[in-house]
Structure formats: C-alpha cells, structure tokens
C-alpha cells in the first residue's frame, strides 16, 4: 500500500497538468532492521501499479540510514508542446469541476486512528482504503488539455487548492458546499453530524482533479468523463476578485476554521 500510494500521488500531479506518465525514479533510504520481505512487498506494489498505469522505473538509488525509512519518488510525463494545463489559466465565467468524491481520505485517516466507532465495518474499510490507496484519474487527466483552462490535484484540501488556483489565475473561486460530491460512506457520517462537512471541504489527500472549464468546453469534459468511466461534478465558478469562498445551500459564506493543509 505504501508503494502504491507513493506512486499514485505523483501520477496525480501529472494527470492534473494534462500529462501522460511514462517513467519514474526512486530513492530508498532504509535502516538495517528492514527485512527482505518488506522490500518484496514494496516491489510487488510498485509492479502492480506500473502495469496498471503503464509506467516504468528509470533508475534511482538505495542507501543505508540510521533513521526511519525514507522513500523519494519522482514521476516524469509528457504533454503536447504548449498544452500543459497550469493553475494560472482560469478566467471569470469558467465553471469549476471536480472528479470523483471528496473527503473520503480525510475521514479514512480519522477512522484509522479510531474515530467514528459507530460507523459500519464496510464504511470504515472503504474510507481507510481511500486514504491508503488513492485513485487519481490518471488516463482522464492526460486528455484534459484543450478542455480545462486551469487544473490541479486536490491534496491540501478542496478549499485550499481552489485558493491556489484562484491566486495563480488572479481570480476568485466560489464553491457550493451542497454540490461537492461525497461517497455513500461519507454521506452516512454527514447524516449524523453535518458539521463534518468542514472535513470534506478542508481535509485533503483526495488526489482528485479540480479544474476550471470554459462554458463552451463543458460538453467535451462530460464526454471525456464518460469515455474514461470518471464522474465529474460541477461545484462552483470562477469570478472576478480574489481568494476562495465556500457557500452553503442558502448562498451564505461558510466560516471555515481552516482552508486545508498549510505548507510550512
């Protein structure tokens, strides 16, 4: 699971840029206490996802350390010349879309730490799996060029990453909380405690795509989603101004305790 998440979080970045993944490098620093069976499992996970995503190991390094295991993976991909989708291309009037469901990983981390004991075993396993093994829309993202004006993957939290897109593009991002897609497992938690919507909006680790799409390109986006078996949801809009606002069902801005993960 560590190997698969290690690879997938980097493939998520490439997908959000409209790039097709091709190869990766891996640096491994391990203490002497790590056994061969651990390496065998790591390699098995890498091999499984190499086959799944059509990517190859191109090199790297292995070193001994007195500290904890450190794994450093860098993925490389290619986009058509001049077709890389940046954060900075959004314009007022564009509509904001996300792939998949949001919030599962944040809830999954909490479940893994013992939270929500009232949740069913099936729901807990679903959420923990979303945290441990994310499912970025890799093939879908590689075809987004020419459709999305701006894009990034959701790692810091939906509100935080919408803010990153808005700042880079010099616009305002407006999100509608009731339009944010959630899984059945997350919906069961929200039914018991609606305040957990803050976790959905700010939790992060989703590794789905948030993109700005000009109105004339929406049909192409929906067709691409159908072709790749990906769900896309319209969650907001790009407006003139700055920053990000999250509105409730009555159009009133939500007071968020935080927007997401802050890089120190």
């Amino acid at each position: 699971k560590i190997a698969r998440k290690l690879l997938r979080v980097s493939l998520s970045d490439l997908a959000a840029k409209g790039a097709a993944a091709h190869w990766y490098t891996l640096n491994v620093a391990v203490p002497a206490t790590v056994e061969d069976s651990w390496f065998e499992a790591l390699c098995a996970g890498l091999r499984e996802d190499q086959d799944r995503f059509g990517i190859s190991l191109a090199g790297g390094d292995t070193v001994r350390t007195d500290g904890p295991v450190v794994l450093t993976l860098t993925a490389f991909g290619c986009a058509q010349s001049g077709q890389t989708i940046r954060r900075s291309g959004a314009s007022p009037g564009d509509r904001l879309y996300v792939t998949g469901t949001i919030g599962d990983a944040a809830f999954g981390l909490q479940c893994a730490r013992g939270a929500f004991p009232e949740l069913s075993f099936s729901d807990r396993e679903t959420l923990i799996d979303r945290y441990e093994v994310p499912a970025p829309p890799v093939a879908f993202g590689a075809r987004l060029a020419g459709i999305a004006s701006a894009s990034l993957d959701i790692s810091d939290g939906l509100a935080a990453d919408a803010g990153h897109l808005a700042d880079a593009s010099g616009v305002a991002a407006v999100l509608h909380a009731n339009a944010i897609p959630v899984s059945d497992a997350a919906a069961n938690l929200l039914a018991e405690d609606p305040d957990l919507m803050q976790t959905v909006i700010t939790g992060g680790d989703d590794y789905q795509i948030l993109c700005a799409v000009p109105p004339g390109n929406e049909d192409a986006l929906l067709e691409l989603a159908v072709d790749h078996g990906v769900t896309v949801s319209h969650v907001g809009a790009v407006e003139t101004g700055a920053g990000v606002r999250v509105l409730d069902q009555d159009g009133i801005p939500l007071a968020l305790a935080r927007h997401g993960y802050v890089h120190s």
Side-chain angles (χ1 to χ4, degrees):
K1 288 181 177 179
I2 291 171
R4 295 171 71 195
K5 184 166 187 175
L6 181 70
L7 186 55
R8 290 176 182 219
V9 298
S10 293
L11 296 182
S12 177
D13 278 317
L14 291 174
K17 300 297 97 187
H22 290 294
W23 59 89
Y24 70 97
T25 59
L26 177 63
N27 293 343
V28 180
V30 294
T33 54
V34 173
E35 298 180 352
D36 288 350
S37 60
W38 187 90
F39 278 106
E40 291 167 359
L42 183 79
C43 290
L46 291 172
R47 185 179 302 110
E48 179 177 346
D49 273 1
Q50 282 183 188
D51 293 342
R52 181 187 301 271
F53 297 112
I55 189 170
S56 299
L57 178 64
D61 195 15
T62 56
V63 297
R64 181 63 55 81
T65 179
D66 292 330
V69 172
V70 179
L71 304 172
T72 306
L73 186 147
T74 304
F76 297 84
C78 296
Q80 293 293 321
S81 179
Q83 294 295 306
T84 301
I85 310 171
R86 305 184 185 278
R87 300 180 179 192
S88 55
S91 300
D94 289 353
R95 308 184 84 183
L96 294 173
Y97 282 84
V98 296
T99 61
T101 56
I102 306 301
D104 291 334
F107 288 137
L109 174 58
Q110 293 182 44
C111 285
R113 291 173 168 171
F116 313 124
E118 73 283 1
L119 203 59
S120 72
F121 176 81
S122 175
D123 282 350
R124 291 176 64 84
E125 289 295 294
T126 295
L127 296 172
I128 291 173
D129 185 65
R130 281 295 306 276
Y131 169 69
E132 292 181 336
V133 186
V138 174
F140 167 88
R143 298 282 303 279
L144 265 181
I147 297 176
S149 60
S151 179
L152 76 172
D153 72 335
I154 303 168
S155 54
D156 295 341
L158 177 58
D161 286 313
H164 299 329
L165 186 150
D167 292 346
S169 297
V171 296
V174 179
L175 300 171
H176 297 277
N178 62 336
I180 298 172
V182 297
S183 67
D184 290 342
N188 289 336
L189 283 173
L190 292 168
E192 295 297 323
D193 185 358
D195 288 342
L196 288 173
M197 193 64 195
Q198 293 243 357
T199 299
V200 173
I201 297 168
T202 66
D205 241 11
D206 296 299
Y207 300 104
Q208 295 297 317
I209 292 176
L210 167 67
C211 59
V213 179
N217 291 352
E218 288 181 286
D219 287 346
L221 177 76
L222 298 176
E223 290 175 6
L224 182 66
V226 171
D227 288 345
H228 289 275
V230 172
T231 60
V232 293
S233 301
H234 172 222
V235 295
V238 178
E239 299 182 355
T240 57
V244 58
R245 301 194 310 277
V246 183
L247 309 180
D248 66 14
Q249 61 185 6
D250 297 317
I252 299 172
L254 292 173
L256 300 176
R258 58 194 288 273
H259 278 74
Y261 180 76
V262 177
H263 296 264
S264 58

